[in-house]
Amino acid sequence: MSEEKGPRVEMATPFDPRAAILAPGHTYASITDKISALVLTRRTPRGWFLGFTIAFLLLMLLLFTAAYLLATGVGIWGVTVPVGWGFDIINFVWWIGIGHAGTLISAILLLLRQRWRTSINRFAEAMTLFAVACAGLYPLLHMGRPWLFYWLLPYPNTMGTWPQPRSPLVWDVFAITTYATVSFLFWFIGLIPDLATLRDRARRRFWRILYGFLAMGWRGSARHWARYEMAYLLLAGLATPLVVSVHTVVSFDFAISIIPGWHATIFPPYFVAGAIYSGFAMVVTLAIPLRKFYELEDFITMKHLDNMAKIMLATGLIVGYGYMMEAFMAWYSGNPYERYMILNRLRGPYAPVYWALLVCNVGVLQALWSARVRRNVRALFAIALVVNVGMWLERFVIVVTSLHRDFLPSSWGMYRPTIFDWTMFLGSIGLFLTLMFLFIRLLPVISIFEMRALLPETAPTPGGGTMRPAEAPTTS
Amino acid sequence: MMKLETLPRRAVSVGLAGLSLALIAAFGDPEHFWPSYLFAHLFWLGLSIGSAAVVMLHHLTGGRWGFAIRRVLEAGARTIPLMAVLFVPIFFGLSHLYEWTHAEVVAADEVLRHKSRYLNVPFFSLRAVLYFVVWIALAHLVTKWSYGQDRTGDPRLSQRIRTLAGPGLVLYGGTITFAAVDWVMSLEPHWYSTIYGIKFILGQVLTAFAAAILLAAWLSRTRPLSEIATSDAFHDLGNLLLAFVMLWAYVTFSQFLIIWSGNLPEEIPWYLRRTQGRWEVVAGLMVVFHFLIPFLLLLSRAVKRNVRTLAALSGMILIMRVVDLYWIIMPAFEERGIGLHWSNAAAFFGIGGLWFALWAREAARHELIPVHDLGGLGERASHG
């Protein structure tokens, strides 16, 4: 990582505050102090307790719903014939999609040497893990008997059965377990040097032992760093195909069938773009309050928000292209079922949802062409929230409108989510936020050592050149 | 060794010879000629607009990789007007190419009747004109401002290109998608696939990338390109080439898997036509030479950093791009008994010769490196 740097274009002097990925005036010590203080010394803000309480109550809602579900059966949800996939798959796809930003930031932006990833990668990776956890709940609970989940794995058994290898649902099992494992390893390995910093700085014995245990004996020797960098790069290489593969397999869940509105060849790239789009919207949604309440504006700068807004714009346009191609090809195909599918979306009983998704995902997004909007924190926050909602609506439209009216009018029906669908959804948001609040409180939300490596860029050396990060001391 | 300055004259003679042969075919054997001409035109057009797209992409994203191939690509983008002129003959061959131009065929077919609101000659022609207007305008502005910067050194020109590049890429994506539907997908008018536009976009960008690496490797033997087209730059280009090879394989395989598993009567014939008899061999060749071998070789650092191996690999990918386009277009005519024919090569080299002549003329007329827009490479190259 440290041997090859891209063209050092961004390091131009005089200093341009809009292009800075780390505000000027910091020293190695101030970065470590500021980030580690969030965990170790600063009083936990009252807002944290308030937020955590709300999140925790929502998590309880999830637990009650899950307990009732296991006791009663999936009949408490609104899924029935013909819409056999409802909120469970919508929320599953939504959460999995959100997770993608973390992997993209940590793996692909690392390989592309996009150094602005540094301050947002840690919490984006945490977000990925928590989103995957939320996503994983839904298929497990939808099984009705989640304790038999291992039947999904191919293993020799006395029943003499194997999972159907042609079913993308089985591919999902592998794609998602791999994704969760690699994401966790990536996040944890990235944390190790910072855990050692926390170990060294913690004042109470309990925390010293806990962080020391997690730091796995990190001493910051040159050999440790060399191995660390090697491992991190290798994991980045491994994680890169996962960014594409997971949502591709999720898209196959739909596209491999022959239902109009699901059987579309554009689904794989369109789902991947949508996943990255919703993921970045979620990172922006989390980053803006985080930097405000914890005064991290020096680390998560306008440059970060601007870049993330640009990625949202690019991926959102690809998603818009997907909507356009779906509609155009349905009309162009001349196939009456394909044409009815799009007409039903435009004018059928769920038309308001379809129009709302177009407004949220394509209409509002266009504001991000303007640099002024991208640099307006409030506007960006509002747009990110709208996109989060829009991407959920998109999955609703895909799942429900295609199933509720298929080839035979006699088998048409409507899907109505029940109260338990909603409590389950709200509950998974509670799980996500609870984990997020705990993460903010217990672990460094920004990578301390990587921020320190950025420091030389903001402090030009007298010779006019800049010190390369590799030459900078990186241990505490 | 050939020089850039002598290339136009030789290329023109190849082009004129090819086109004269093609002209013989046009009158003697129009059934074979028109598919050949369409195939040849679409390959070279893809190289031209793919070049314009990569230039815009680089303006938008920046990065060391782009400066070494900027001028090669810009010269490629300048050939779009030539391709527009060479498109004109196709209007005279529509009835040989497209089933939907025959009123009696359309009248007897319900799907084609429905499609006739989109697939009809006036609207088709209007759209073709519109596509070329958009492409010529984009390519013209982007190259004009970039060449202008060589003279004036005005940094605002870079900013202006950057502002255009975003909307420009959106326009490019939209126009090439519908152009692909009009010119290629409608050869088999019952078939449709929503990923088709993306497949074409990636195919063209990959073509432009491979060609640009090959040409930059050739030109980088001498100054000034040798100053910035270093092994570092080729390493980055190799990585991007790998990424585009993988993306191409990804969308190609996705389309195949979804249509294969659906196995619907209106979709699967496209693949049946392309996997029967000799075409199956071609499909197999593509798996090996368009994906497996480039993929495995491009993983190696040594291959990417060595100009010769990377150029050889780019050449192979370029050949496979020709094969892929041939495999997409020609089986559509299989039922009429039209396949490999000498006019394929005549049209291909005819249009290609003229393309190269214009490319070389444009490349020779300007600096081979954008002297005032080199990012961090600037100091080394301009004062070196």
Side-chain angles (χ1 to χ4, degrees):
Chain A
M1 188 172 102
S2 52
E3 288 142 24
E4 304 166 3
K5 294 284 170 259
R8 279 179 269 154
V9 187
E10 284 176 327
M11 305 179 194
T13 41
F15 191 79
D16 177 5
R18 285 185 310 181
I21 50 176
L22 171 63
H26 276 284
T27 61
Y28 288 118
S30 76
I31 291 174
T32 312
D33 284 344
K34 182 137 190 179
I35 301 173
S36 66
L38 300 187
V39 179
L40 294 174
T41 51
R42 248 173 75 144
R43 266 174 66 95
T44 312
R46 241 181 254 152
W48 185 91
F49 283 107
L50 181 71
F52 181 75
T53 309
I54 296 170
F56 192 72
L57 288 176
L58 288 174
L59 174 61
M60 290 301 106
L61 198 60
L62 176 73
L63 287 187
F64 288 130
T65 314
Y68 183 56
L69 178 85
L70 293 182
T72 318
V74 289
I76 67 165
W77 290 343
V79 285
T80 179
V81 175
V83 185
W85 271 5
F87 265 38
D88 43 350
I89 199 88
I90 298 168
N91 296 337
F92 162 75
V93 179
W94 190 65
W95 279 120
I96 280 279
I98 285 171
H100 278 64
T103 328
L104 183 99
I105 292 171
S106 45
I108 294 187
L109 295 189
L110 177 79
L111 295 180
L112 292 178
R113 306 186 203 128
Q114 296 289 321
R115 317 207 48 214
W116 60 274
R117 67 181 272 285
T118 295
S119 69
I120 51 172
N121 66 336
R122 172 72 48 76
F123 76 85
E125 285 166 25
M127 182 199 80
T128 295
L129 280 182
F130 306 152
V132 172
C134 292
L137 277 180
Y138 286 97
L140 284 177
L141 290 172
H142 194 192
M143 281 177 207
R145 284 179 285 173
W147 50 91
L148 297 178
F149 76 95
Y150 61 89
W151 285 12
L152 288 166
L153 301 170
Y155 67 101
N157 58 63
T158 52
M159 297 176 285
T161 54
W162 290 87
Q164 165 62 278
R166 281 192 184 181
S167 164
L169 297 175
V170 173
W171 311 342
D172 254 347
V173 176
F174 293 99
I176 290 164
T177 45
T178 314
Y179 185 49
T181 313
V182 173
S183 302
F184 174 76
L185 284 176
F186 207 82
W187 180 67
F188 182 69
I189 289 184
L191 264 171
I192 287 176
D194 282 359
L195 286 168
T197 306
L198 292 183
R199 170 198 64 196
D200 297 344
R201 295 188 150 226
R203 289 200 206 109
R204 288 205 233 126
R205 190 176 160 73
F206 171 77
W207 294 107
R208 275 211 302 273
I209 291 175
L210 184 71
Y211 288 126
F213 182 74
L214 292 172
M216 298 172 81
W218 179 268
R219 294 186 312 279
S221 72
R223 187 170 295 178
H224 280 182
W225 279 110
R227 286 181 182 158
Y228 169 85
E229 300 232 320
M230 177 68 79
Y232 203 66
L233 261 187
L234 280 176
L235 271 175
L238 276 177
T240 300
L242 288 175
V243 180
V244 176
S245 71
V246 177
H247 233 65
T248 298
V249 171
V250 170
S251 81
F252 285 154
D253 291 345
F254 300 96
I256 291 291
S257 76
I258 54 165
I259 305 279
W262 284 11
H263 181 73
T265 47
I266 202 170
F267 261 36
Y270 155 65
F271 264 53
V272 171
I276 295 167
Y277 183 36
S278 66
F280 270 89
M282 189 56 101
V283 175
V284 170
T285 309
L286 297 175
I288 288 176
L290 185 71
R291 71 197 278 276
K292 169 120 184 74
F293 292 129
Y294 284 97
E295 290 143 21
L296 294 173
E297 282 96 341
D298 285 0
F299 299 149
I300 305 173
T301 63
M302 289 318 292
K303 178 75 182 164
H304 290 100
L305 297 181
D306 189 52
N307 280 354
M308 288 196 279
K310 282 179 182 165
I311 292 184
M312 276 170 64
L313 180 62
T315 49
L317 287 169
I318 299 176
V319 169
Y321 175 91
Y323 300 150
M324 179 182 78
M325 289 323 287
E326 272 187 318
F328 172 74
M329 283 298 168
W331 174 75
Y332 173 84
S333 72
N335 178 320
Y337 302 108
E338 291 281 340
R339 272 156 66 194
Y340 183 75
M341 177 274 294
I342 204 76
L343 283 178
N344 186 40
R345 281 185 187 176
L346 288 167
R347 296 194 210 135
Y350 295 109
V353 186
Y354 188 62
W355 289 104
L357 103 84
L358 289 182
V359 170
C360 292
N361 286 353
V362 184
V364 173
L365 175 75
Q366 305 308 319
L368 292 182
W369 284 102
S370 149
R372 262 184 45 212
V373 175
R374 290 199 301 267
R375 296 200 181 113
N376 180 333
V377 177
R378 280 182 201 174
L380 189 59
F381 185 66
I383 291 171
L385 276 180
V386 166
V387 171
N388 282 319
V389 174
M391 286 309 291
W392 189 88
L393 295 175
E394 179 202 293
R395 276 65 178 252
F396 184 92
V397 166
I398 291 173
V399 171
V400 175
T401 62
S402 294
L403 282 180
H404 92 121
R405 288 182 175 176
D406 65 358
F407 305 96
L408 270 183
S410 62
S411 65
W412 288 0
M414 289 293 286
Y415 171 71
R416 283 178 199 87
T418 64
I419 178 81
F420 297 107
D421 282 309
W422 288 108
T423 53
M424 188 88 197
F425 179 44
L426 286 175
S428 66
I429 294 178
L431 172 64
F432 179 76
L433 290 178
T434 305
L435 291 169
M436 215 60 214
F437 275 111
L438 286 175
F439 161 71
I440 291 170
R441 181 63 193 81
L442 296 175
L443 291 169
V445 284
I446 293 175
S447 174
I448 300 171
F449 73 94
E450 286 183 321
M451 287 310 282
R452 290 161 59 109
L454 285 183
L455 195 59
E457 288 187 17
T458 63
T461 51
T466 45
M467 192 166 32
R468 284 172 64 135
E471 296 154 8
T474 40
T475 45
S476 48
Chain B
M1 164 185 172
M2 211 184 332
K3 282 215 181 98
L4 190 58
E5 289 71 26
T6 57
L7 185 61
R9 222 167 344 119
R10 297 187 192 195
V12 162
S13 21
V14 171
L16 290 180
L19 282 184
S20 330
L21 280 175
L23 209 62
I24 297 172
F27 291 102
D29 193 355
E31 288 302 311
H32 275 106
F33 166 76
W34 288 110
S36 305
Y37 189 81
L38 180 74
F39 151 73
H41 186 275
L42 287 177
F43 178 80
W44 295 104
L45 176 73
L47 187 48
S48 306
I49 45 183
S51 301
V54 178
V55 169
M56 289 192 283
L57 188 70
H58 182 245
H59 278 290
L60 214 52
T61 63
R64 178 175 62 184
W65 57 273
F67 301 107
I69 55 170
R70 164 87 57 86
R71 282 289 143 88
V72 171
L73 291 168
E74 281 171 350
R78 298 281 278 193
T79 58
I80 300 177
L82 169 73
M83 298 314 292
V85 172
L86 289 173
F87 191 80
V88 173
I90 290 179
F91 289 117
F92 298 96
L94 292 182
S95 65
H96 291 283
L97 289 168
Y98 301 103
E99 212 183 317
W100 50 263
T101 54
H102 300 275
E104 69 288 353
V105 176
V106 174
D109 189 316
E110 202 197 320
V111 172
L112 292 190
R113 266 208 312 279
H114 166 78
K115 288 190 181 184
S116 64
R117 266 182 289 169
Y118 184 78
L119 295 179
N120 59 69
V121 175
F123 193 26
F124 175 94
S125 317
L126 182 72
R127 287 195 303 270
V129 171
L130 184 76
Y131 305 146
F132 276 108
V133 167
V134 169
W135 297 334
I136 290 173
L138 282 175
H140 177 72
L141 289 176
V142 167
T143 52
K144 190 182 88 172
W145 290 336
S146 180
Y147 292 149
Q149 202 180 33
D150 281 358
R151 288 190 302 275
T152 61
D154 186 355
R156 279 174 307 178
L157 285 169
S158 298
Q159 184 55 47
R160 214 186 281 172
I161 303 176
R162 223 179 352 262
T163 313
L164 179 71
L169 281 174
V170 173
L171 276 175
Y172 160 77
T175 46
I176 192 60
T177 298
F178 287 101
V181 172
D182 290 2
W183 301 343
V184 193
M185 192 194 271
S186 81
L187 290 171
E188 287 149 289
H190 291 91
W191 185 77
Y192 56 91
S193 164
T194 41
I195 207 173
Y196 206 64
I198 298 183
K199 217 164 110 65
F200 259 79
I201 291 170
L202 286 173
Q204 294 185 344
V205 168
L206 182 56
T207 310
F209 242 101
I213 291 175
L214 200 60
L215 292 169
W218 172 49
L219 295 173
S220 70
R221 294 184 192 185
T222 50
R223 279 161 57 100
L225 199 59
S226 57
E227 312 250 343
I228 58 167
T230 55
S231 37
D232 280 345
F234 281 109
H235 187 184
D236 286 354
L237 286 169
N239 281 333
L240 282 163
L241 192 67
L242 173 64
F244 281 108
V245 164
M246 283 161 69
L247 281 173
W248 173 87
Y250 170 70
V251 295
T252 305
F253 178 71
S254 296
Q255 175 178 286
F256 170 71
L257 183 71
I258 290 169
I259 289 180
W260 169 80
S261 69
N263 204 15
L264 294 172
E266 56 204 6
E267 289 183 343
I268 199 72
W270 198 87
Y271 278 104
L272 291 180
R273 261 176 234 133
R274 282 160 182 79
T275 49
Q276 271 166 358
R278 295 167 297 170
W279 294 117
E280 192 176 13
V281 181
V282 180
L285 284 177
M286 286 212 293
V287 175
V288 177
F289 291 100
H290 202 318
F291 176 63
L292 277 178
I293 291 181
F295 171 74
L296 292 173
L297 287 179
L298 282 171
L299 288 176
S300 145
R301 221 178 130 83
V303 168
K304 285 179 284 197
R305 294 190 74 85
N306 182 333
V307 182
R308 278 163 179 273
T309 51
L310 187 67
L313 205 54
S314 302
M316 187 178 88
I317 291 172
L318 212 50
I319 292 170
M320 291 319 290
R321 290 301 313 135
V322 180
V323 174
D324 182 33
L325 200 65
Y326 194 79
W327 181 79
I328 286 174
I329 293 177
M330 286 301 169
F333 302 97
E334 187 83 347
E335 275 145 36
R336 291 189 244 160
I338 295 165
L340 208 58
H341 189 255
W342 58 267
S343 66
N344 299 158
F348 184 81
F349 288 106
I351 297 180
L354 295 191
W355 192 96
F356 260 108
L358 186 58
W359 174 84
R361 201 181 72 118
E362 289 293 331
R365 266 174 58 186
H366 305 280
E367 295 275 354
L368 278 171
I369 56 175
V371 273
H372 295 292
D373 181 23
L374 283 169
L377 307 168
E379 304 88 51
R380 230 184 333 165
S382 52
H383 309 299

